[in-house]
Amino acid sequence: MPDFVSDFMQIALEEAKAAAERGEVPVGAVLVNKTGEILAKSGNRTEEMSDPTGHAEMFVIRQAAARCRSPRLNDCDLYVTLEPCTMCAAAISFARLRKVVFGAYDPKGGGVEYGARFFTQATCHHAPEVVGGVEEKASEALLKEFFEDLRD
Amino acid sequence: MPDFVSDFMQIALEEAKAAAERGEVPVGAVLVNKTGEILAKSGNRTEEMSDPTGHAEMFVIRQAAARCRSPRLNDCDLYVTLEPCTMCAAAISFARLRKVVFGAYDPKGGGVEYGARFFTQATCHHAPEVVGGVEEKASEALLKEFFEDLRD
């Protein structure tokens, strides 16, 4: 049996690398249904799209929901290279995702294990299973390289 | 001098009414620049667009940012009939909005005065001025009527 988690995280990492090449913060995401079919994949596109909500997670959720013609994506799983921020955590909850697998932890901007910890709030009405730290080093390395290059 | 706050909330209320007529939760929003020009207005379109992120605030932020060709909307103000949820609060922060004026408070799903209280989190890197309870009764009445009709 192939290691699906690792496979999907590799695809998310490719999206993150492509984002960096476009000058975007290198975060990538893949949204998968319960049979393992990829419904959407994307990197960050905040600058390209002039969209303050343009995180990778938001694009894959919106694209997959449009494709499924439903604002609810029950039994679907999200793979993303960085801990989702608070905005994306709430969007994940609204979309009723089953599971979120993420790479690097984000103490400064995360909303799952840090900050608002949205899934633990009384105002959160659906919480997915969460697995953090998958391909953590590769995810972190992309972000570190990007921000080091910015400072040069 | 006209009462701009009241004028903009009336427009947001009209968007909320139009949302109800489309079968959407009646919330409406208007985004205005510092000279009082309306950059975008919208109601909720979650069901119509099959978009779990399809809140009124998200549409006006994305539309205004696209129009301004920038993911940052400094000096712009948001008028919305319901306290923003946690997702929208974070989007407001990312967009660098100057001020948020909202109608009804939302103890069950709000993210400004309730729940995650996102603007008070250490992971929130820009907090707007917030004014709640403007046209509160009219905003609440629309929501109450909508949910009562659903139960009939």
Side-chain angles (χ1 to χ4, degrees):
Chain A
M1 185 179 155
D3 181 351
F4 287 124
V5 172
S6 176
D7 289 350
F8 293 135
M9 281 303 279
Q10 290 304 326
I11 296 167
L13 281 164
E14 288 305 315
E15 290 293 329
K17 285 175 200 164
E21 284 164 16
R22 294 191 304 268
E24 303 276 354
V25 175
V27 178
V30 184
L31 209 146
V32 180
N33 73 10
K34 65 179 174 183
T35 66
E37 183 190 1
I38 292 174
L39 298 179
K41 57 183 181 170
S42 182
N44 273 11
R45 295 181 181 275
T46 304
E47 301 298 328
E48 176 193 354
M49 307 288 281
S50 296
D51 183 354
T53 76
H55 291 184
E57 301 96 311
M58 300 296 274
F59 283 114
V60 297
I61 288 171
R62 289 172 45 219
Q63 284 169 18
R67 185 169 164 180
C68 297
R69 295 183 188 174
S70 166
R72 285 159 288 278
L73 294 163
N74 303 302
D75 298 326
C76 292
D77 302 330
L78 177 73
Y79 296 81
V80 56
T81 58
L82 181 65
E83 177 188 342
C85 75
T86 306
M87 173 183 73
C88 293
I92 287 162
S93 175
F94 291 145
R96 306 276 194 277
L97 296 189
R98 180 176 60 177
K99 187 164 71 172
V100 176
V101 177
F102 71 82
Y105 288 82
D106 188 4
K108 286 185 188 168
V112 177
E113 303 292 347
Y114 289 92
R117 292 178 175 80
F118 181 69
F119 300 138
T120 70
Q121 297 285 348
T123 48
C124 172
H125 306 297
H126 168 86
E129 180 190 346
V130 174
V131 181
V134 176
E135 293 287 356
E136 183 176 6
K137 283 185 183 176
S139 300
E140 268 182 2
L142 281 175
L143 287 157
K144 197 177 168 193
E145 187 182 350
F146 179 79
F147 287 110
E148 277 175 1
D149 285 352
L150 273 192
R151 278 194 291 271
D152 286 345
Chain B
M1 184 177 154
D3 181 350
F4 287 123
V5 171
S6 176
D7 289 349
F8 293 135
M9 282 303 279
Q10 290 305 324
I11 296 168
L13 281 164
E14 288 305 314
E15 290 293 329
K17 284 176 199 163
E21 283 163 17
R22 295 190 305 268
E24 304 277 354
V25 175
V27 178
V30 184
L31 209 145
V32 180
N33 71 12
K34 65 179 173 182
T35 66
E37 183 190 1
I38 292 175
L39 297 180
K41 57 182 182 171
S42 181
N44 272 11
R45 294 181 182 275
T46 304
E47 301 298 329
E48 176 193 354
M49 306 288 281
S50 296
D51 183 354
T53 75
H55 291 184
E57 300 96 312
M58 300 297 272
F59 283 114
V60 297
I61 288 171
R62 287 172 50 219
Q63 284 169 19
R67 184 170 164 181
C68 296
R69 296 182 188 175
S70 167
R72 286 160 288 275
L73 295 163
N74 302 303
D75 299 325
C76 291
D77 302 330
L78 177 73
Y79 296 82
V80 55
T81 59
L82 181 65
E83 176 188 343
C85 76
T86 306
M87 173 182 72
C88 293
I92 287 162
S93 175
F94 292 144
R96 306 277 194 277
L97 297 189
R98 179 176 62 179
K99 187 165 70 172
V100 176
V101 178
F102 71 81
Y105 288 82
D106 187 5
K108 287 185 187 167
V112 177
E113 303 292 347
Y114 290 92
R117 292 177 174 81
F118 181 68
F119 300 138
T120 69
Q121 298 285 347
T123 49
C124 172
H125 306 298
H126 167 88
E129 180 189 346
V130 174
V131 181
V134 175
E135 293 287 356
E136 183 176 6
K137 284 186 181 174
S139 300
E140 267 181 4
L142 281 175
L143 288 157
K144 195 176 169 193
E145 187 182 350
F146 180 80
F147 287 111
E148 278 176 359
D149 285 351
L150 274 192
R151 278 194 291 270
D152 285 345

